[in-house]
Amino acid sequence: MTVQGGVRDGQARVMITDTGIGIPAAHLPHVFERFYRVDPSRSPETEGNGLGLAIGSAIADSHSGRLTIESNAGTGTCIELTLPICGEDCNVRLHK
């Protein structure tokens, strides 16, 4: 897994990439739905509830951001969180 972050075009970006099994294209439109699981045969006790991406997307949306996903079966997945750094009325200063 690789985690990268940066700033581009006034947006803070965090990308999380893996080289795992990926997600088949037919499932990608549904992965942000609550309780959606690509492989429903997995044990619910150990594999999660299908809520993580739905919650992450809702949080990003509430902050005028986006959570996006790119994936190909067999080659891995990249999830990108994009958030605006500052709005017009923002008085926050970034420290380097």
Side-chain angles (χ1 to χ4, degrees):
M1 182 182 313
T2 303
V3 178
Q4 297 175 310
V7 177
R8 187 175 74 210
D9 300 327
Q11 304 268 324
R13 297 172 182 269
V14 177
M15 291 188 311
I16 302 167
T17 306
D18 71 26
T19 56
I21 62 171
I23 301 170
H27 292 280
L28 289 175
H30 306 287
V31 296
F32 294 110
E33 296 172 9
R34 291 182 297 149
F35 305 109
Y36 187 81
R37 295 171 64 179
V38 173
D39 184 358
S41 67
R42 291 182 176 170
S43 170
E45 292 83 20
T46 58
E47 298 295 331
N49 297 321
L51 288 172
L53 291 174
I55 291 170
S57 182
I59 292 169
D61 288 345
S62 72
H63 293 281
S64 301
R66 291 182 357 162
L67 191 64
T68 59
I69 187 168
E70 291 180 17
S71 188
N72 293 301
T75 61
T77 301
C78 179
I79 304 225
E80 182 176 22
L81 170 65
T82 305
L83 295 169
I85 291 174
C86 215
E88 289 180 12
D89 299 325
C90 183
N91 292 320
V92 174
R93 296 190 192 279
L94 295 178
H95 298 281
K96 293 184 179 182

